[in-house]
Amino acid sequence: MTKYSALGSFLTSSGQLEVKLSFSEIEKILGFKLPPSAHNYPAWWANNGHAQAKSWVGVGFITKTLDIPQKTVLFCKKEALEHRKSFPISQPNKFPSIQGKTIVSNQPEWKQICSVAEDSRWCRQ
């Protein structure tokens, strides 16, 4: 059991394919405040090997939409996204969709986002 495993348990017990949570809801689930990096850097929410990501990826979810200004994240069951073939732009003048995830941020952390994207043609260098 890890520091963030309560989040994975919550996602699993939801029985939903998509679960949208505010950062404050996640903090209530976890029982502690998210670190400042979760509030400022999209890379914190990347579906990679970090401890927090293991909590949702380990139960079959990925971050689909992250909105740092609104402090919300949408988790989606991975199999629900695997059938999608396109990478639509979900919001004009925001970050493009990357493998089914939309990153919305006031701070473009492109290199960090690109490191987790399988299709880096969407990334600026």
Side-chain angles (χ1 to χ4, degrees):
M1 189 166 253
T2 68
K3 181 177 179 178
Y4 296 97
S5 60
L7 178 57
S9 297
F10 178 86
L11 293 171
T12 300
S13 67
S14 74
Q16 302 296 312
L17 293 177
E18 292 187 341
V19 179
K20 185 175 184 177
L21 297 169
S22 68
F23 291 4
S24 61
E25 289 171 322
I26 293 170
E27 290 172 341
K28 287 177 187 173
I29 292 165
L30 295 173
F32 58 86
K33 295 277 187 193
L34 291 169
S37 55
H39 292 267
N40 297 306
Y41 300 106
W44 194 91
W45 298 95
N47 299 306
N48 58 17
H50 294 301
Q52 67 273 13
K54 288 179 183 177
S55 72
W56 60 78
V57 172
V59 295
F61 280 82
I62 61 170
T63 52
K64 179 182 176 189
T65 305
L66 170 64
D67 189 333
I68 286 183
Q70 295 297 314
K71 300 190 180 305
T72 62
V73 60
L74 177 65
F75 295 97
C76 182
K77 281 293 259 183
K78 188 174 179 185
E79 70 252 15
L81 290 177
E82 289 178 348
H83 70 280
R84 296 183 185 176
K85 302 288 182 192
S86 63
F87 305 98
I89 303 296
S90 67
Q91 297 180 23
N93 302 318
K94 300 288 184 183
F95 288 85
S97 177
I98 302 173
Q99 296 295 339
K101 302 177 306 227
T102 304
I103 309 295
V104 181
S105 174
N106 289 332
Q107 301 179 29
E109 299 290 335
W110 288 100
K111 289 186 180 182
Q112 293 173 348
I113 295 168
C114 292
S115 68
V116 299
E118 292 176 18
D119 187 348
S120 61
R121 67 189 165 153
W122 292 106
C123 302
R124 294 181 185 169
Q125 298 299 327

